[in-house]
Amino acid sequence: QVHLVESGGGSVQAGGSLRLSCGANGVIYSSYCMAWFRQGPGEEREAVATIDSDGTTTYADSVKGRFIISQDDTQTEVDLEMNSLKPEDTAKYYCATDGPRVDCSVKSSIDEYNNLGQGLQVTVSS
């Protein structure tokens, strides 16, 4: 079991930036996927960005060019830098991770991941 500790989030005006961080403690997969999902009011959870152990990234079309997912050299922390934020980015953001069995792309469902963080609220005001 992997314990995920999230930090960051908060409130910002449209056009601003925020950074989310996710630290992983516990089982370290030799081959893994880490992802950020979000769930807006009245919406289903959707994948925002993913990064695998090779550093390959994928992004949802709605955040391409604005969000950047990255990992540190120890591969135990993943950040999501969010720029040019829009009110429609308002959501609870979740970090998720699992081994090679998941489809490491934004096409994946959060149900595929065995390890999920508690979530961080991000609110963007117009």
Side-chain angles (χ1 to χ4, degrees):
Q1 189 75 17
V2 179
H3 180 55
L4 298 174
V5 179
E6 301 155 324
S7 61
S11 298
V12 68
Q13 288 192 327
S17 299
L18 286 172
R19 190 178 191 92
L20 308 181
S21 295
C22 176
N25 300 303
V27 175
I28 303 297
Y29 303 106
S30 58
S31 177
Y32 63 83
C33 178
M34 293 196 77
W36 284 98
F37 286 80
R38 69 183 181 186
Q39 185 170 22
E43 299 178 0
E44 293 186 356
R45 288 181 186 179
E46 61 171 353
V48 174
T50 67
I51 187 167
D52 67 16
S53 45
D54 292 329
T56 301
T57 59
T58 70
Y59 295 93
D61 288 343
S62 58
V63 306
K64 275 182 183 176
R66 300 188 298 122
F67 289 13
I68 301 171
I69 188 170
S70 62
Q71 59 189 349
D72 69 350
D73 291 340
T74 66
Q75 297 186 326
T76 59
E77 181 173 306
V78 171
D79 292 342
L80 184 69
E81 181 180 339
M82 305 184 294
N83 302 306
S84 302
L85 283 161
K86 305 175 182 179
E88 50 263 45
D89 294 318
T90 294
K92 195 165 186 178
Y93 285 71
Y94 299 86
C95 176
T97 190
D98 214 307
R101 68 184 191 90
V102 301
D103 170 21
C104 196
S105 79
V106 292
K107 297 178 184 178
S108 61
S109 166
I110 200 167
D111 295 331
E112 298 179 37
Y113 293 78
N114 280 324
N115 308 289
L116 189 65
Q118 293 298 308
L120 296 168
Q121 181 63 40
V122 171
T123 303
V124 184
S125 58
S126 57

